[in-house]
Amino acid sequence: MALHPSRRTVLRLLSRLTLSVCAITASAAAWAAEPLRIGYSDWPGWVAWQVAIEKGWFKEAGVEVRFDWFDYSASMDAFTAGKLDAVLMTNGDTLVTGAGGAKGVMVLVTDYSNGNDMIIAKPGIKSLADLKGKKVAVETGLVEHLLLRAGMKRLGMKPGDIEIVNAKTNELPQVFASPDIAAVGAWQPIAGQALKAVPGSKAVQTSAEEPGLIYDVLAVNPASLNARRADWQKVVKLWDRVVAYVDDPKTQPDAVRIMAARSGVSPAEYLPLLKGTRLLTLDEGRKVYEKGNDYKSLYGSTEVANTFNWYNKVYSFSQKVDSYIDPSLTTSALAAAK
């Protein structure tokens, strides 16, 4: 018996709908099977993940992860371009990518800078105040720019007292050798390269003077976080194992060997860098996630960065800090460990 035209139309629509659902399901399954893509760069609190990579801990935890190595600003660019599911960056710089259209949710606080970020001046310059009227090279709008401004504010200096010269962070050791540049702002190990580039130079300000000004975080694309929350939970839970391996005197030599190799320096050169980065356990991170107005809180610290970014026209609109912070994965990991 011939089908009525309307019935044939319905059957064709149902067939197409079934095919579409199958295609979407297959696409989602394929996406879920893809490894989480995380961008990282040369900072001790992020290079520490190399231990988990080489020890095969992600596989043990049942999560596929691919870490991609970048220069720092390039990692932010890759995240902004949608090439990564997450990136390791500072809390203030998370606002920068977010304002540019690539929102990142801070699901894990890995550490805070405790001296490894620094303003390095040429011989004869004894203090930050001595830089008045001189040129200082930093990557404008990023973390060393914030560190410099924080120090200037503490001394009562005005923004115009120092002339800022913009330069990529990885190029600063070469820039520092320029005769008209009095100082540069960089983090380790690039800061160490700058110190070697100009014999007799020294740090006139470090992040140890502003503990909590610079938190380092794992920032995840919200869509990836929503779609693969269970996988991200496994990544966060693994962080305590990494911190324990790096901090334990028995295993630290092996951790330093692994981290140094990733950074391309000797273990002897790398070991001192650990002192300038305060790795945070999940429980210590939980305390940082508590709301507050000072540097002890991720909220307070990030609000300071937000004000700095907006004032210096890094972005046009003040960001809603709370929307960038999600403590739930840290809280869940701690609850599961009990």
Side-chain angles (χ1 to χ4, degrees):
M1 183 178 70
L3 287 173
H4 189 278
S6 63
R7 291 183 181 179
R8 286 199 297 269
T9 300
V10 169
L11 287 173
R12 281 199 301 270
L13 289 173
L14 286 173
S15 178
R16 289 174 184 172
L17 179 60
T18 300
L19 289 171
S20 296
V21 170
C22 289
I24 292 170
T25 301
S27 177
W31 183 41
E34 288 292 314
L36 299 175
R37 300 165 300 167
I38 301 175
Y40 70 139
S41 51
D42 212 350
W43 171 257
W46 306 331
V47 178
W49 282 112
Q50 195 69 32
V51 173
I53 295 169
E54 295 202 11
K55 297 293 182 183
W57 292 347
F58 290 104
K59 186 175 182 179
E60 288 181 26
V63 57
E64 292 292 327
V65 180
R66 187 183 79 200
F67 278 78
D68 293 331
W69 185 255
F70 295 91
D71 287 330
Y72 179 57
S73 56
S75 72
M76 294 171 62
D77 292 342
F79 182 69
T80 300
K83 297 178 181 178
L84 300 169
D85 295 302
V87 64
L88 289 151
M89 55 183 166
T90 71
N91 56 323
D93 292 342
T94 303
L95 302 179
V96 176
T97 61
K103 188 70 171 284
V105 180
M106 295 182 266
V107 301
L108 172 68
V109 184
T110 58
D111 63 274
Y112 66 79
S113 181
N114 194 37
N116 274 346
D117 287 85
M118 54 187 73
I119 307 301
I120 302 163
K122 285 181 174 174
I125 299 173
K126 298 180 180 180
S127 69
L128 194 65
D130 291 341
L131 291 172
K132 186 174 182 178
K134 295 180 171 61
K135 293 181 179 180
V136 178
V138 298
E139 190 160 359
T140 56
L142 296 189
V143 63
E144 305 309 301
H145 191 186
L146 171 61
L147 177 65
L148 176 63
R149 290 297 192 218
M152 292 172 66
K153 182 178 180 180
R154 190 176 68 250
L155 294 174
M157 298 174 71
K158 299 176 182 178
D161 286 344
I162 290 176
E163 182 179 346
I164 301 295
V165 176
N166 184 36
K168 291 289 186 181
T169 299
N170 61 303
E171 298 172 358
L172 285 169
Q174 293 75 35
V175 172
F176 195 27
S178 302
D180 61 332
I181 299 297
V184 296
W187 56 82
Q188 292 286 18
I190 297 170
Q193 296 169 17
L195 287 164
K196 290 180 180 179
V198 179
S201 59
K202 69 173 186 177
V204 292
Q205 183 192 10
T206 78
S207 52
E209 299 167 52
E210 305 279 358
L213 173 68
I214 305 168
Y215 284 106
D216 298 303
V217 302
L218 175 65
V220 181
N221 178 294
S224 179
L225 179 60
N226 290 334
R228 304 186 62 179
R229 188 175 183 85
D231 285 337
W232 286 115
Q233 182 69 77
K234 292 173 183 177
V235 172
V236 169
K237 187 178 180 181
L238 192 57
W239 180 243
D240 263 354
R241 189 175 181 183
V242 172
V243 174
Y245 200 83
V246 175
D247 285 349
D248 189 333
K250 295 179 181 178
T251 53
Q252 188 177 82
D254 187 48
V256 170
R257 176 190 62 79
I258 293 169
M259 295 167 70
R262 173 66 274 188
S263 294
V265 299
S266 70
E269 291 176 294
Y270 203 89
L271 180 60
L273 305 188
L274 295 185
K275 296 179 181 179
T277 302
R278 178 65 167 82
L279 297 180
L280 298 173
T281 64
L282 290 177
D283 190 53
E284 290 168 332
R286 176 189 59 78
K287 295 172 184 176
V288 169
Y289 271 120
E290 293 176 3
K291 287 197 172 184
N293 297 319
D294 58 17
Y295 291 159
K296 293 180 180 179
S297 167
L298 182 62
Y299 292 88
S301 174
T302 308
E303 195 58 68
V304 168
N306 180 45
T307 301
F308 165 83
N309 291 336
W310 177 80
Y311 179 82
N312 286 282
K313 297 181 173 58
V314 177
Y315 43 69
S316 302
F317 299 96
S318 179
Q319 300 297 296
K320 295 180 180 179
V321 166
D322 285 20
S323 70
Y324 284 84
I325 299 173
D326 183 354
S328 64
L329 295 187
T330 292
T331 301
S332 296
L334 287 168
K338 290 182 179 179

